[in-house]
Amino acid sequence: GAVVSQHPSRVICKSGTSVKIECRSLDFQATTMFWYRQFPKQSLMLMATSNEGSKATYEQGVEKDKFLINHASLTLSTLTVTSAHPEDSSFYICSAQNDRGHSGANVLTFGAGSRLTVL
Amino acid sequence: GEDVEQSLFLSVREGDSSVINCTYTDSSSTYLYWYKQEPGAGLQLLTYIFSNMDMKQDQRLTVLLNKKDKHLSLRIADTQTGDSAIYFCAERNSGYALNFGKGTSLLVTP
């Protein structure tokens, strides 16, 4: 089945540094990927839609300069948290749209998530 | 997540059936989904249903959709301890992203 690989799974960084999270679709091409953020015991909040070859579309309230998204190829999207602060600590999950075998259901395949802790 | 509502917690005994309920607000949603999340992991697609269907069954899973009431349910038959997880209901928005509920934490006791 479709697999989305997300790396790193866990990262701890100092306040003020930048952290890059990678999201790869391993056996399918994904022109569209989505980045979500999940706080403890909360739902997933959509941060942005990553479009291959064009600028990402950010949801209201998400700072585009803080959360840089690059989707340079059909299998890779990256999220860079710039000048990280403790309040950025969260679980970040990417997903890629994969229609293969689902007859147009626009099924999203999710990565395993990246736990960011900012000290 | 505010447009999709779920009860937050459900506890069942092993072998019983579990029913997780969800209400959504976007009547134009063409597909509705159920995802499962185990601790510290990403989301695993369990099943989805097209909006013109009333029911879909897949092994131990049965999805019921009441489009008039915008109500979706997931029934897990013969619930096992390995089914303990958080279950998310989701609707697809116009931009093809998914709007999720807050998740229902299912606890299966022996």
Side-chain angles (χ1 to χ4, degrees), chain B residues 57-106:
Chain B
Q57 186 163 2
D58 183 4
Q59 299 181 340
R60 292 192 296 124
L61 305 178
T62 303
V63 178
L64 296 179
L65 174 61
N66 182 328
K67 196 173 180 182
K68 174 176 172 288
D69 295 337
K70 298 190 186 70
H71 183 267
L72 183 74
S73 69
L74 173 70
R75 178 177 180 271
I76 305 172
D78 187 26
T79 314
Q80 304 297 307
T81 54
D83 294 325
S84 293
I86 300 176
Y87 291 80
F88 290 94
C89 164
E91 61 178 357
R92 194 182 79 182
N93 68 22
S94 59
Y96 297 102
L98 297 185
N99 293 331
F100 289 88
K102 289 191 175 180
T104 299
S105 182
L106 174 64

Side-chain angles (χ1 to χ4, degrees), chain A:
Chain A
V3 177
V4 172
S5 172
Q6 195 171 335
H7 177 81
S9 57
R10 290 179 182 273
V11 58
I12 300 173
C13 70
K14 291 183 178 180
S15 186
T17 59
S18 295
V19 174
K20 180 186 285 189
I21 301 169
E22 292 186 348
C23 180
R24 293 181 185 272
S25 56
L26 294 188
D27 53 354
F28 65 98
Q29 294 183 332
T31 55
T32 303
M33 292 185 177
F34 303 96
W35 286 96
Y36 288 85
R37 181 175 181 176
Q38 184 180 32
F39 292 100
K41 300 188 188 305
Q42 296 289 320
S43 183
L44 284 77
M45 301 302 298
L46 179 66
M47 297 175 66
T49 302
S50 172
N51 304 296
E52 187 268 336
S54 65
K55 291 183 180 179
T57 304
Y58 290 81
E59 295 299 300
Q60 191 173 9
V62 178
E63 300 174 59
K64 65 177 76 172
D65 294 331
K66 174 113 181 117
F67 298 100
L68 299 179
I69 291 173
N70 185 291
H71 195 152
S73 78
L74 288 170
T75 58
L76 173 64
S77 174
T78 61
L79 168 68
T80 301
V81 183
T82 63
S83 187
H85 288 278
E87 56 266 31
D88 299 325
S89 298
S90 192
F91 193 55
Y92 294 88
I93 309 177
C94 73
S95 65
Q97 187 170 303
N98 172 36
D99 268 342
R100 193 172 65 187
H102 293 288
S103 304
N106 293 106
V107 168
L108 293 188
T109 301
F110 284 80
S114 299
R115 172 77 58 196
L116 171 63
T117 303
V118 185
L119 301 177

Side-chain angles (χ1 to χ4, degrees), chain B residues 20-27 29 32 34 49-56 62-74 89 91:
Chain B
I20 302 171
N21 294 300
C22 169
T23 57
Y24 61 98
T25 58
D26 188 350
S27 58
S29 295
L32 294 140
W34 283 103
I49 188 168
F50 188 47
S51 60
N52 69 352
M53 298 171 64
D54 298 322
M55 186 190 82
K56 179 180 180 181
T62 303
V63 178
L64 296 179
L65 174 61
N66 182 328
K67 196 173 180 182
K68 174 176 172 288
D69 295 337
K70 298 190 186 70
H71 183 267
L72 183 74
S73 69
L74 173 70
C89 164
E91 61 178 357

